[in-house]
């Protein structure tokens, strides 16, 4: 299921100007498809400003998200891979972003569970840190 959401929603960039710019860039495919609004993107950034780096779920991996009421029009996920990490507050580097959107409080739980399963596998996590194309990314979710 995760693979279906990521297909066509993945980006690979050299760098971003800041962690805020990286979140905006990572969310762009969902914004363009109407899954989220600009307000949702601002809410994801505000979450970090208000609550700290809790969206960093593993070293180098962040999962920006916000509550449905802030402009999520459906369930979706997008992916961004940066060659040069951005630094979050407290100088925490992040290279991989999985933007999560849901229009219901629990609509994203299956996606999160599937992502958690991949990330909990050390080998798959290390492979994920090396992906350079959407094809390589999607191949990891075939298992």
């Amino acid at each position: 299921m995760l693979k279906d959401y990521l297909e066509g929603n993945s980006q690979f960039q050299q760098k971003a100007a800041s962690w805020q710019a990286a979140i905006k860039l990572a969310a762009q495919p969902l914004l363009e498809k109407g899954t989220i609004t600009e307000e949702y993107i601002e809410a994801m950034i505000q979450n970090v400003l208000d609550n700290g780096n809790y969206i960093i779920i593993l070293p180098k991996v962040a999962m920006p998200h916000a509550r449905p009421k802030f402009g999520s029009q459906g369930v979706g996920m997008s992916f961004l891979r940066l060659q040069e990490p951005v630094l979050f507050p407290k100088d925490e580097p992040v290279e991989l972003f999985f933007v999560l959107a849901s229009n219901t409080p629990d609509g994203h739980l299956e996606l999160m569970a599937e992502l958690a399963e991949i990330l909990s596998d050390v080998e798959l996590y290390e492979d994920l840190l090396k992906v350079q194309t959407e094809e390589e990314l999607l191949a990891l979710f075939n298992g």
Side-chain angles (χ1 to χ4, degrees):
M1 179 170 76
L2 196 55
K3 181 180 173 184
D4 297 332
Y5 282 98
L6 291 173
E7 195 163 6
N9 289 329
S10 304
Q11 301 175 82
F12 299 82
Q13 302 287 334
Q14 184 61 36
K15 60 184 177 179
S18 64
W19 65 265
Q20 295 95 326
I23 288 176
K24 288 179 183 181
L25 182 61
Q28 206 58 41
L30 297 178
L31 181 66
E32 288 170 7
K33 289 185 168 110
T35 307
I36 60 171
T37 63
E38 287 282 352
E39 181 189 12
Y40 191 83
I41 296 171
E42 294 307 316
M44 290 190 292
I45 292 169
Q46 195 60 49
N47 274 346
V48 175
L49 296 172
D50 292 345
N51 304 309
N53 295 346
Y54 78 99
I55 67 166
I56 301 175
I57 55 175
L58 281 172
K60 302 180 185 178
V61 181
M63 191 172 65
H65 57 282
R67 294 192 176 177
K69 69 179 182 180
F70 293 114
S72 180
Q73 312 296 318
V75 175
M77 184 176 274
S78 60
F79 173 81
L80 170 66
R81 161 85 161 103
L82 296 173
Q83 293 298 320
E84 296 176 27
V86 290
L87 293 179
F88 273 73
K90 299 182 183 170
D91 292 330
E92 283 196 68
V94 172
E95 318 176 352
L96 305 180
F97 292 80
F98 288 92
V99 174
L100 189 60
S102 176
N103 57 347
T104 63
D106 58 0
H108 60 294
L109 295 180
E110 282 184 54
L111 284 176
M112 282 180 66
E114 195 173 334
L115 182 59
E117 194 176 315
I118 296 276
L119 294 175
S120 65
D121 181 315
V122 175
E123 221 173 275
L124 284 174
Y125 166 71
E126 289 173 1
D127 289 345
L128 189 58
L129 290 171
K130 298 174 193 163
V131 297
Q132 299 297 322
T133 65
E134 184 174 86
E135 194 175 67
E136 290 175 13
L137 174 70
L138 297 178
L140 293 178
F141 296 100
N142 276 339

